[in-house]
Amino acid sequence: MNGQTPASPAVNGITPAQQMISSCSGALLTSLLVTPLDVVKTRLQAQNNPLGKGKYFVYSNGLMDHICVCENGKGWYKAAGQFRGTLDAFYKIVCCEGITALWSGLPPTLVMAVPATVIYFTCYDQLCVALRARMGERAQEAPLLAGAIARVGSATVISPLELIRTKLQSQKQSYSELTSLIRSAVQAEGWWSLWRGLGPTLLRDVPFSAMYWYNYERGKSWLCQWYNATEPTLTITFISGAGSGSVAAIVTLPFDVVKTRRQVELGELQAKNLSGPVSSSTFSIMKKIVAQDGFRGLFAGFFPRLIKVAPACAIMISSYEFGKAFFRKHNQERIPRQLHSTNT
């Protein structure tokens, strides 16, 4: 017997590496399940308003939004006839183009969406534990602050990569040409040019994340008490994720409307000239929308956003929590085995 005990995992019984694996697997599962919904939604919208060559549209894989460019005159897809609704669109896309068409454009976006999700979820867990230990009686508010900080960090890291992806797709440039273009933009405008468009993203995503995590943790705790559960089950995390995601999506919808409009305009601007002027501020665009369409214009796309966000949040958080629970149980079972081996 040497008296040594095995080192325990860092946070909540699991290591940061295990948190990363859990968030990565959750991100992949979410994108695989949610992307077909956005592909069908975009195809239905493009049926009424065709996307011409060089036009930009917002593509969502359930994890984050991306700017994509229409590369041919017929749109970013093969023609599959007229769609009479969502189910008809699913059926015709699968029959005419194959089932893989439901995941059109997914691989390039995962290059950024998965790392962003891993950074975001891992940072949130680490920050939340640290803040709860320091906030004392106000520990219940730790998820609010941790969610906001984690989102700022992940969005700041990914923003330049998304700009580079947009340039590569729109202009078909080589990496050497792109490097030269970015270098000249940095010299002309400074390093901040790489984070153009980050402001509107943060105005939507930071409040969303703060509300989402706060409501999720409170909802999860309340449901555990309601069902007399010592640990949150898959059902509890799924319901909590869907509910908190829905609330956050509704409250931040005006910022989402503005961000989508600016994102498309910014994508077209970046494709032409990296150092071109930015049109309007977020609140200027809000004023224009209210003047044109009234306050209802700020809540355009209410149901499509809710239908997209609620299941994405539910799938992501429940799969993430399932992964963490798996590793936590694995670690707890491993410690007695290590103790037994050291004693013998």
Side-chain angles (χ1 to χ4, degrees):
M1 180 174 178
N2 54 19
Q4 294 179 346
T5 58
S8 60
V11 177
N12 287 336
I14 61 174
T15 65
Q18 291 170 337
Q19 289 174 336
M20 291 180 183
I21 295 172
S22 299
S23 57
C24 182
S25 58
L28 292 173
L29 180 62
T30 302
S31 62
L32 289 174
L33 294 177
V34 176
T35 295
L37 298 176
D38 195 71
V39 168
V40 169
K41 183 203 74 174
T42 305
R43 296 281 290 269
L44 287 169
Q45 291 175 342
Q47 181 173 271
N48 298 323
N49 300 290
L51 295 168
K53 183 177 181 179
K55 290 295 182 179
Y56 283 73
F57 62 96
V58 176
Y59 175 97
S60 174
N61 54 23
L63 302 172
M64 61 187 292
D65 296 334
H66 303 270
I67 286 293
C68 294
V69 62
C70 177
E71 297 179 352
N72 56 65
K74 295 182 180 179
W76 62 290
Y77 51 84
K78 302 174 184 176
Q82 285 291 111
F83 303 130
R84 295 192 298 270
T86 301
L87 293 178
D88 185 56
F90 269 107
Y91 176 77
K92 287 183 178 177
I93 290 172
V94 171
C95 290
C96 298
E97 305 171 37
I99 194 169
T100 56
L102 293 175
W103 290 273
S104 300
L106 178 60
T109 65
L110 289 180
V111 174
M112 276 153 298
V114 171
T117 304
V118 170
I119 293 170
Y120 174 46
F121 276 79
T122 305
C123 287
Y124 167 78
D125 266 345
Q126 298 288 323
L127 284 167
C128 196
V129 170
L131 289 171
R132 276 175 170 158
R134 289 167 173 78
M135 293 178 70
E137 296 179 354
R138 304 186 66 182
Q140 286 187 347
E141 299 172 11
L144 193 77
L145 188 57
I149 296 173
R151 177 58 75 184
V152 171
S154 62
T156 302
V157 170
I158 294 300
S159 185
L161 300 179
E162 177 67 6
L163 182 148
I164 291 171
R165 188 196 65 82
T166 304
K167 295 291 292 183
L168 283 173
Q169 185 196 32
S170 62
Q171 297 185 359
K172 302 297 182 183
Q173 295 172 325
S174 66
Y175 284 99
S176 59
E177 291 173 330
L178 184 65
T179 301
S180 176
L181 183 64
I182 293 175
R183 188 182 296 113
S184 63
V186 170
Q187 291 174 349
E189 294 187 38
W191 287 101
W192 285 113
S193 62
L194 298 179
W195 283 269
R196 177 176 295 166
L198 179 61
T201 299
L202 294 180
L203 279 174
R204 183 196 68 170
D205 290 353
V206 171
F208 179 96
S209 297
M211 284 185 287
Y212 170 77
W213 284 111
Y214 179 78
N215 290 327
Y216 170 73
E217 297 290 358
R218 295 297 297 269
K220 182 175 69 172
S221 176
W222 183 83
L223 286 173
C224 283
Q225 293 178 358
W226 179 267
Y227 289 107
N228 293 320
T230 55
E231 294 291 335
T233 63
L234 189 65
T235 302
I236 288 175
T237 56
F238 190 92
I239 295 173
S240 300
S244 57
S246 298
V247 171
I250 293 169
V251 174
T252 59
L253 183 56
F255 292 106
D256 181 65
V257 172
V258 173
K259 178 181 178 291
T260 299
R261 181 176 294 192
R262 289 203 71 197
Q263 216 174 4
V264 173
E265 293 177 355
L266 190 60
E268 295 176 351
L269 175 67
Q270 290 168 351
K272 297 174 182 177
N273 182 6
L274 191 64
S275 59
V278 179
S279 57
S280 304
S281 68
T282 298
F283 293 101
S284 296
I285 295 176
M286 279 188 171
K287 289 180 181 178
K288 290 179 182 178
I289 294 173
V290 171
Q292 293 173 359
D293 307 315
F295 282 99
R296 290 178 60 185
L298 293 176
F299 292 89
F302 173 86
F303 285 109
R305 176 161 165 78
L306 196 61
I307 291 170
K308 178 180 71 174
V309 171
C313 289
I315 295 168
M316 179 64 216
I317 194 63
S318 57
S319 55
Y320 177 59
E321 293 281 17
F322 179 84
K324 291 199 300 179
F326 169 81
F327 283 117
R328 190 177 296 115
K329 182 179 179 181
H330 171 75
N331 293 335
Q332 290 172 349
E333 292 175 349
R334 187 178 61 180
I335 290 175
R337 290 199 299 268
Q338 291 179 336
L339 284 171
H340 177 74
S341 63
T342 54
N343 289 335
T344 56

